Amino acid sequence: MTRTLIICTSVSHGNTRRVAEAMAEVLGAKVVEPDQVELAELGDYDLIGFGSGIFNRRFHPDLLRFVSALPGAHGSAFVFATSGLPGVRFEPLLRALQDKGFKTAGTFSCRAFDTWAPFKPVGGIRKGRPDRSDLQAARQFAEGLRGR
Ligand SMILES: Cc1cc2nc3c(=O)[nH]c(=O)nc-3n(C[C@H](O)[C@H](O)[C@H](O)COP(=O)(O)O)c2cc1C
């Protein structure tokens, strides 16, 4: 069985955490924050997921810092994000993970409640998301990873 860990930074509304938990159910995975990870244990996992919200077009700095401090790896990684706007730029994080030796297993993103400054005056955008169908899409993505 594939042993999976999901590392998730979700600081704004808990949006990405909800997506991570949906994936974790399917994968039988634990969801942790970067500062809860024991680096020595990472070798126990075949597949590691990395996710956060998008802030100023980037993954959260805590997650990026964590990845750049990782030792070399041998397993596979998937990357996921929640964001107000479409067009998530996965490449910089994927490249950083590949540089550490991870194979890319897949990427996932969905829209989510966003109270970034430009949208604050209107009470934010994408209220109520991730919704049931977003979480269903996250589960389906995870099924695909499980069946790799
Ligand atoms: C300061 C700030 C900057 C943001 N920048 C972006 C952005 O560049 N692009 C985007 O699509 N969403 C942006 N968002 C929206 C977040 O990505 C979105 O709310 C995300 O779901 C937050 O995830 P979390 O609740 O897991 O932390 C921003 C939100 C905040 C508060």
Side-chain angles (χ1 to χ4, degrees):
M1 205 184 91
T2 308
R3 296 206 51 190
T4 308
L5 180 69
I6 299 181
I7 302 169
C8 174
T9 300
S10 185
V11 294
S12 188
H13 296 287
N15 294 334
T16 317
R17 181 82 190 198
R18 292 175 61 205
V19 168
E21 298 287 354
M23 291 177 177
E25 264 172 48
V26 173
L27 293 163
K30 193 163 69 166
V31 181
V32 294
E33 292 169 26
D35 65 6
Q36 297 173 316
V37 174
E38 290 284 347
L39 288 184
E41 282 174 24
L42 286 182
D44 297 346
Y45 296 95
D46 316 295
L47 178 64
I48 305 181
F50 296 86
S52 79
I54 296 297
F55 298 88
N56 299 306
R57 305 201 63 214
R58 294 188 176 85
F59 280 82
H60 193 279
D62 286 359
L63 188 69
L64 295 174
R65 250 193 310 271
F66 175 78
V67 169
S68 58
L70 280 177
H74 302 285
S76 297
F78 66 93
V79 168
F80 61 101
T82 64
S83 63
L85 303 173
V88 171
R89 290 163 63 233
F90 289 109
E91 293 73 22
L93 178 54
L94 288 177
R95 226 174 303 120
L97 289 165
Q98 284 158 6
D99 287 349
K100 296 292 178 179
F102 283 101
K103 289 196 241 30
T104 302
T107 62
F108 176 87
S109 77
C110 69
R111 306 293 70 75
F113 185 43
D114 175 1
T115 51
W116 189 17
F119 305 121
K120 264 215 172 112
V122 294
I125 57 168
R126 319 282 187 212
K127 233 180 198 149
R129 296 186 68 182
D131 60 15
R132 271 167 53 148
S133 71
D134 294 317
L135 298 180
Q136 185 52 29
R139 282 189 208 98
Q140 240 160 42
F141 170 77
E143 296 279 2
L145 291 173
R146 203 173 56 171
R148 281 176 326 137

